[in-house]
Each structure stands twice: as structure tokens, then as C-alpha cells.
Amino acid sequence: MTRPDGVPALTNVTIDGERLWGTLMETAKIGGTAKGGIRRLTMSEEDKRVRDWFKAACEAAGCTVTVDTIGNMFARREGKNPDLPPICMGSHLDTQPTGGKFDGILGVLAGLEAIRSLDAIGYQTNAPIEVINWTNEEGARFTPAMMASGAFAGVFTEEYILSRTDREGTTFADAMDAIGYRGDTPLGGRKLGAMFELHIEQGPILEAEDRMIGVVTGVQSIRWFELTITGAAAHAGATPMPARRDALVGAARAIEAVEAVALAHAPDGVGTVGILECRPGSTNVVPGEVFLTIDLRHPLDEVVARMEEDLRARLAEIQGRLEFGLERIWVSPAVHFDPVLIGHVREAAERLGFRHRDIASGAGHDAVYTARICPTTMVFVPCKEGISHNEAEESTFEQCAAGTQVLLNAVLAYDATLEG
Ligand SMILES: [Zn+2]
């Protein structure tokens, strides 16, 4: 759309909230559970049905749908300039075994709604638009999570993905072939112009602050550790207290230290002990060895590094006559999204009059991997009490519509900066 003076006009394209909600509720029946959630594991029969639904809906909207060799789906709507790489929207249609109706699904169906809204007024973008359904974001049936967007970005090889097995021993390749979703488009190897992913927050911050939109600036920096505490197993009756080297008492102090480290880096620092194993595990034996895991996160790499130093110092203080073996097993650097795209999202929220705030994602998303290969950003909407990966996951009609409108406006604002 061009004004008479030749300047591209930012036409208002209004999404249809009812239509969007209708698609969310209709597809929620595919793998729908009695408690109102969804069970739609990657490359299952339910996954096939929702993929078939998505393909048909996109084709009905005039898109060309291609599928790559690991099942990623791309619904393309051409723009004025075929030489431009596509502006992409999307997320994932797979769920956890007892997942909710919005995690991932909202981001894909919002892309479909955006296309339908553009079609409704015959809006022609400069760049092609693609709506993407990334395979197996959840990592529930096959690990790792986000494996197909990662493979698209060159983080994993195709052979690695195809050979992953589920708990029954079925390979990803066999599961994909069983539902007929091994496509013939080569994996990756082409340029994406930009990626916008709308997602529910999966945390409580937006709701608590009564904000409609999270302008996602990036993904937190993460460090994982394993801590093995060695003391001495001893008789629970015959060993006097001063003579004991109780590894579980040491673990209790270590868990408090993890909490203290996180609180010392509030409000953004978080620390979690998620696994605790106590050996030998007998009522009348003083625990001789404890194994536990530690997860530290903060939006900034340098702060997580300081949190680790702080943790090491505190553990050294409390170890006493125990041995503390702390091993760092995984480092995931902070992801910083594209400042230009972030600006478009913030401005879209602003212009639409939605209360918003900048926020760093606490969870991983496909956008983490696409950020390696193209300008990427995300839009968050609140979900009730921050509950996610749960059948009770809930976002409202208004929240889903608001996020979708912000998504589309940001995409169109970015598109307007390109040559038609
Ligand atoms: Zn998700």
C-alpha cells in the first residue's frame, strides 16, 4: 500500500479475535484431554491430525505449504518482492504429555490469523510472509527440546535428529514416516528475513503487574551444576552427633545457599535445586553421600558468572568436614533479540494502548535458535497464574487477540522498512 506521495502507509489491519479463538478451540480438540488440556506428542497420530488441519487451513488461505526433511512446516504467502527473504511468524503445535491449549499453538495460529487478516483486505506485503510450525519444540517424546529449529539453524545435524529415539525405542525417522511428514524440502540452507514468535509468558510477571504485552528482549543466561556431597555413612544409633559427617545436613545447607545466592541477585536472579538423591537411603543410616542439581539463571551472562562465584564461596564456607564436589555441566549464554524488531514490538504495543513491559524469557523457545541465523524477537502475553506445561494453562480471548494484533503490527512495521 502506497500513499499518493509514494511513502508506504502503515495500513491498519485488524485481526479477528473471534476467528483466532475459534481456531484455538477447534484444534484443542485434537488430542484434547478430559481436564481441558492437550496431549499431542511429536509425530504421534494427534500431531498428524493437527498438521493436516494446519496445512489445509493455510492452503485455503492461499499459502503454499512446504515440509522439510525433519517435518518443519512452512506456509508461504508471497509478497511484492520475491527476492526478499521471508518475514516469519510461528512456534510449535506439539505439546507436553499433559500440556495446555496455548503453549506454542498460539504462536502458530496467530500467524495463520495474521495471514487471513491480510487476505481479508487484500494487503500486499513487500516481503513474503511465512508461518512456521517447528517440529518437536517440547522435547517430551524425543530429546532435546527445540531440536528442529536448532537443526534448521545448524546447531544439530539432520542425522542426529533422525536417529533420536523415544522411550519405546522408536526412532524419530520412523515416527515421522509413520505419519507421513517427512517432507522433500531440504533442511535449512536458506535465508529467513526475520522471525517473530508470539508465546504465552509461562510465568506470573505480566499478570501480577496487570500488563497485556511482554516485549521480550532475550532469553536468560543459564548455568547447570551437579553437586556431590560426600560424608560418611554411619549407624544412626551408635554414632554420637559430634562424630558425624552427615551429607544430607550438608545438602540442606547447600540448598539454602542456592536460595541465598538467587535472593542476593533479586529480582531477576533465580536458583533451583530440582534433583536430590540421598545414599544409602535407609532410616537408620546417617547419609554418607548426596547428589543434587543446581540451576542458576539471570538475563545477563556476567551476573550468572557472579552468582556462580557467590555459590562457590558460600559452599566453601559451609562444607565443614564434608567434601563438596561442584561441577558445572552446562552453560547456555543469554540470547539478545534484535533491537530493531524489539522496537517494532514495543511501538506496536504502545500505539495499540496496551500496558507492556520489557521482559527476558525464563524458558527456552525456538526463537533462541532462529536468533542465531536471522533477526528474531518474541511477544509474550500473560497466562493465568503463570501456569504452563499443565492442562490448566489458560490465557484469555482478549490476551490472545492482543498478542496477535501486536505481532501483526510489528511484522507490518518491519515489512514497511523493506523495498517493495
Ligand atoms: Zn512453547
Side-chain angles (χ1 to χ4, degrees), residues 91-92 102-105 137-138 197 199 202 364-366 389:
S91 192
H92 58 96
F102 302 92
D103 174 1
I105 302 146
E137 191 276 343
E138 294 290 3
E197 182 172 359
H199 206 281
Q202 301 180 288
H365 296 287
D366 293 307
H389 285 189

